[in-house]
Amino acid sequence: MSVRLRFAPSPTGFIHVGSLRTALFNYLFARKHEGKFILRIEDTDQSRFVEGAIENLLSIFDWLGISFDEGPHTGGNFGPYVQSERLDIYRRHIERLVAAKQAYHCFCTPGELEEMRAAQVARGETPMYDRRCRNLDAETARRRIEKGDPYVVRLTVPLEGNVSFSDLVRGDISFQADMIDDQVLLKSDGFPTYHLANVVDDHQMRITHVIRGEEWLTSTPKHILLYQYFGWEIPKFAHLPLLLNADRTKLSKRSADVSVESYRAEGILPEALLNFVALLGWHPTGDREFFSLEELVEEFDMERVRKSGSVFDMTKLRWFNSEYLKKKPDDEYFERVHEQFPNDFLKGNDDAKLKYALSTLRGSAATYKEAAQQIIDVFSPNPEPDAESKELLSHDEGQVFLKSLREILEDIPSENWMEFNMIGDAFKSACKQSGKVAGLKGKQLWQTVRAGLTGQLHGPELTKLVAIWGRERVLSELERHR
Ligand code: GLU
């Protein structure tokens, strides 16, 4: 039988990088084993639903080059693929569980539950539903439902024994049944919870492998019980290690930018992002680092998924991106950076000039956005000189140096300023010559040039800057120090 895997996001409006990792591993496993990869939308928590979230999700996966074989957009034999369109299916399954006493109606009000919780906490116990509705007889429950009393349906968890399963990443895992809560399966609004819908759908959609984040591990025993109660075959589970911040706390929205959309907007390339994400918790044989999506399919193996948490290192993502950027053809590179320029900036700078600046500075930016910012900075007026620059220029040698430099540069014919090699060499020798005149050399000499031209001791390579700026601006910056 061929494998069937699914990505089952809740449409909350953005894709967390952890969700992308889950989707990718499911995709890789499905493709590697020539199975199917399915998209299912888990929108049973209506309060979290965000308009346009499904379209956004599809556009991101399209951008990444990850395709689904079945889903709300393409259909398939096991739909509908959106949970809010499957409510009657869940209802039927709930009835089946209740009839077999594997689930029960619970009429406890939010107030009662809160009181129960507070009392348990006060006694130092782990808060859990105390199962007070579990033994209501069927007749009483029926009458209360008819009367219109709000209710939920809960899972009847065994009072003793263990719930065990074997995880493809973590090996044998066992939970003590008495530590498992009588999970709500159907909410008072008539919607199923994640647990019921997830199990019913995984079964009906013939999912063979469930690969998901470790945060779902404690839900799995509840799911196992559901499979057992329904008498269904249990899929294989694989729980992926947590993603961590640099300080090894759980990766959170607050501590890092975690949405795939934000990386895309910033100019991170899909191939860099996929390469980076694939290595979060999985490692190839050997120490190879670069993989295309096709190569990942080829290499992927669940055996090499780690158990321990994986640190999410933004610097590494940016490094991958700069490496992939280097491989882009000039035209494509220019077009993408161009998209990042604000309109106002484009009004004052023609494409030929921008293209020249960009190709001269190419190689040092980690993202398209950063490359655009470098260009914007280069063409902006110099900021106020920093203290070190001021100090350097206040000495006589500095002034003598700049005067001499200006004079030599003024004599370089305009045509020579058009060519990077020509002006670069001419500029360097002008600097050395002026250095001799002023008695400056080495670091002090180059810092003085920098200070004189830009007022800062750090910035792009000087020969490149001079070529990009051209004659007029270089001379006018030097002019200031007269
Ligand atoms: N809807 C869940 C999520 O948002 C799916 C978890 C699972 O794969 O079972 O991640």
Side-chain angles (χ1 to χ4, degrees), residues 418-430:
M418 301 300 181
E419 252 301 341
F420 174 65
N421 287 335
M422 275 204 206
I423 190 57
D425 290 345
F427 174 73
K428 265 193 272 177
S429 73

Side-chain angles (χ1 to χ4, degrees), residues 447-464:
Q447 287 193 332
T448 308
V449 195
R450 216 174 247 294
L453 279 175
T454 67
Q456 314 292 308
L457 294 194
H458 304 282
E461 232 176 87
L462 281 175
T463 43
K464 292 184 176 172

Side-chain angles (χ1 to χ4, degrees), residues 6-12 19 22 26 40-44 48 83 194 198-199 202 210-213 215-216 219-220 223 237 239:
R6 47 56 171 191
F7 175 48
S10 299
T12 53
S19 296
T22 299
N26 277 284
R40 179 174 76 229
I41 304 298
E42 302 210 325
D43 60 346
T44 55
R48 288 172 70 204
Q83 289 187 329
Y194 152 74
N198 191 269
V199 166
D202 280 348
V210 172
I211 303 177
R212 61 186 171 198
E215 60 273 28
W216 301 103
S219 299
T220 306
H223 300 179
F237 287 99
H239 289 88

Side-chain angles (χ1 to χ4, degrees), residues 224-282:
I224 300 275
L225 285 172
L226 282 169
Y227 282 105
Q228 289 171 344
Y229 289 171
F230 285 125
W232 293 337
E233 194 181 330
I234 301 174
K236 298 217 167 16
F237 287 99
H239 289 88
L240 306 175
L242 290 179
L243 298 186
L244 307 173
N245 298 307
D247 63 1
R248 301 197 75 81
T249 53
K250 189 176 168 202
L251 184 67
S252 66
K253 242 199 273 191
R254 257 163 290 122
S255 55
D257 220 341
V258 292
S259 84
V260 173
E261 289 82 346
S262 70
Y263 303 137
R264 181 188 186 178
E266 201 193 317
I268 297 285
L269 302 169
E271 53 270 46
L273 186 58
L274 288 175
N275 197 150
F276 168 75
V277 165
L279 299 175
L280 294 174
W282 172 81

Side-chain angles (χ1 to χ4, degrees), residues 172-203:
D172 290 339
I173 300 186
S174 201
F175 289 85
Q176 243 176 275
D178 62 2
M179 301 293 285
I180 304 171
D181 214 350
D182 277 4
Q183 181 64 51
V184 173
L185 299 176
L186 189 77
K187 294 179 280 187
S188 54
D189 63 3
F191 274 76
T193 55
Y194 152 74
H195 305 278
L196 179 82
N198 191 269
V199 166
V200 169
D201 290 352
D202 280 348
H203 171 71

